Amino acid sequence: MAEILLKDLYKTYGETPAVRGIDLTIAENEFVVLVGPSGCGKTTTLRMIAGLEHITAGDIFIGDRLINDVPPRDRNIAMVFQNYALYPHMTVYENMSFGLRLRKVQKGEIDIRVKEAAEILNIEELLERRPKQLSGGQRQRVAMGRAIVRNPQAFLFDEPLSNLDAKLRVQMRTEIKRIHQRVKTTVVYVTHDQVEAMSLADRIVVMNNGIIEQVGPPQEMYDNPKTRFVAGFIGSPAMNFVPCKLTTNGDGLSIKLTDGVDLKVPGEREKRYRPHVDRDLILGIRPEHLTECRQHTNEQQQDFGCDVSVLEPMGIDTMVFMEIANVEVCARAAPDAVKNPGETMTFTIDMQKMHLIDPSTDTVL
Amino acid sequence: MTERFIDSRSVQTEQFKISWLTTVLEDQRVLGYVLLIPAFLLIVVFIGYPFLLGVWMALTDKVVGTPGNFVGLANFTKLLDSDIFRVAAWNTVFFTVVATAIKAALGMWLAVLLNRKFMFSRATRAAVLLPFIVPTVLSTLVWLWMLDGTFSVFNWILRWFWDLEISAFGLVIKEDFGYIRGPNWLGDPYYAMGSIIMANVWRGLPFFAISFLAALQTVPSELYDAADIDGATGWKKFWHVTLPMIKPVAVVVVVFSFVITFADFQLVYILTRGGPNNSTHLLATLAYQQSMHTGNLGEGAACALFMLPLLLIVIILQLAYLRRQGVQ
């Protein structure tokens, strides 16, 4: 239950930089998710907070305390590991109480805390078992129990769900959220799964190449990505990126795709885009904003035709793949409205939801 | 035409033969036993026969050159009454327990050190194995020379320390302790036992260190991370995480080494031949002396057989432990 402050944090392994200057404030009781592709520095950052990795440069504060040189055991944090890291020779009870026993907490107190955590996690009947006798999901719960009994200032999660099968992962996701609502504490959670990040986080931190690309609440990350990387990383299926040219069209502006498709830029964005007229840019549009031809609900929705190349039915929607300007583009259409591959289909694009990206800086304009 | 006819018939018979053998071997119950035959023969010829012959000889009064008569357990009762045998039995237990304990403790220490990353760590790991690779007879001859009554290098070093001039703070201190000879390593009963234990430890340490090192490397690093966060310091991490994790391997290594050390022969035979005054006689060297030097094969075999029940107990305990581990 404390604020965590990262100040200009650096980590290099020999010559290889892993984390290249991170500034981040995590508020008390906030659930922050660090997300990014493998090798982006998210786990290294978490391990530096935990004290398992030496800091090359920068400062870390937990509460008001500078903890750069404080060993992990004195940082008052608990961590849940990807492979659970349960001690195989100890029972569940012993696993959960190990940290307390080392801290010489009274036996009665330990018992109360372990039972309480076991009750929260629904593992009361497993306390005498050994990790080998547990399923993946149960081990995950024990790992969380070990963290909860410590009653730490912050919980650190290192990809805790990546070893579980898809169904269990979704279940445990909800479980973690429920537990956080019950055990109010600061959480730093690392994952490479953007769905996990979206569904759990109060705030998402998208990392790439050792730096923070963008920080914000999930919905904001989805609606207003600041860089091409964030735009492509958040949302599933990923955003389409189509090369285009911004041109003037009478009074207004329009986006010309290389195929000759001409899309009108919404009036309120004209001022923002005006300086970039006649430049080669990239149009970013999410599949869900590119649908089968629908009745327009606002004037920014426009239609165009294209040949269907591949269909991927998902049940609720069908993903329609087509080729625009030599780029594969995915649209999300109602299953009964799709045409067969090879046939021409009319699509509606919602230009209010589009993004224009400057390819020279990869930032969203 | 006729020729071709005959040809095809013989081919058919050939095929029939092959398919008959194949059918039999296809049966896994048969194939299993067939595959066991070579190993079984090796065991029968090189272990089973000598063992049974030994048991038989132990029950006879066979002397070299005579057929020997069945005497029942006379050899065993005679041995139990003999002072030399009782000394040798006690020596064997003492030697084995002390040497194995030192090897286990030092081996663990060495393994933990070797498990760290340092310059030339791979080369060091390989070098540690050297005492184990050199044939025991050769390395023991070097020990014999190093522990020699007159030319011992240990005593030479001791003497050098004795003659050392210590200069500090402008003062020169020259202590004269007089002439020191150093211990008579192989000539004094206590030093002799210490010497054979030392040589045995030197030779057996690599086996412990490398086995423990291999076990250490299977401990997931995440467990140490978890222990760090749980609040365990270095020694507690070793006690609560490392040791329990490598216990199954450690038990096997200790028992295996116990058995080998218990039956050690070459080292003692070269260094002391059981002397001085039988103070380093082990069951193995005594058995050899009885049968080869005295020519009393029956008594020698009985002496060697005395090792069996003790080792059997140790091995049964080990198997029971491993089975319990498996259940867990």
Side-chain angles (χ1 to χ4, degrees), chain A residues 55-119:
Chain A
I55 300 168
T56 308
D59 290 325
I60 300 179
F61 293 88
I62 296 182
D64 297 327
R65 197 157 67 114
L66 178 68
I67 51 145
N68 285 14
D69 299 315
V70 176
R73 61 177 177 276
D74 297 329
R75 291 193 180 194
N76 202 3
I77 41 107
M79 188 156 168
V80 178
F81 294 87
Q82 183 173 0
N83 302 321
Y84 323 125
L86 299 175
Y87 310 114
H89 52 282
M90 295 186 198
T91 62
V92 168
Y93 187 97
E94 287 165 344
N95 261 291
M96 285 168 70
S97 61
F98 186 56
L100 298 177
R101 278 184 285 144
L102 286 175
R103 285 176 172 74
K104 305 237 153 51
V105 176
Q106 296 243 311
K107 269 216 166 104
E109 169 80 12
I110 292 179
D111 206 53
I112 292 169
R113 286 216 227 164
V114 171
K115 296 265 159 71
E116 199 178 80
E119 191 238 300

Side-chain angles (χ1 to χ4, degrees), chain A residues 47 73 83 87-89 103 150, chain B residues 222 225 227 229-231 240:
Chain A
R47 289 175 64 86
R73 61 177 177 276
N83 302 321
Y87 310 114
H89 52 282
R103 285 176 172 74
R150 294 262 314 280
Chain B
E222 272 195 341
D225 288 345
I229 287 175
D230 268 335
H240 291 291

Side-chain angles (χ1 to χ4, degrees), chain A residues 6 79-80 85 185 219:
Chain A
L6 311 183
M79 188 156 168
V80 178
T185 186
Q219 197 59 46

Side-chain angles (χ1 to χ4, degrees), chain A residues 297-324:
Chain A
T297 51
N298 65 53
E299 22 179 304
Q300 307 313 337
Q301 292 175 347
Q302 297 163 45
D303 298 340
F304 66 94
C306 194
D307 289 351
V308 173
S309 59
V310 177
L311 295 178
E312 273 182 14
M314 310 296 275
I316 182 163
D317 290 315
T318 296
M319 298 300 153
V320 183
F321 290 88
M322 63 195 118
E323 209 165 272
I324 301 176

Side-chain angles (χ1 to χ4, degrees), chain A residues 208-228:
Chain A
N208 187 29
N209 271 329
I211 54 161
I212 292 179
E213 291 264 344
Q214 191 177 344
V215 183
Q219 197 59 46
E220 191 194 305
M221 302 293 273
Y222 177 85
D223 290 336
N224 299 313
K226 290 205 177 103
T227 63
R228 177 179 175 160

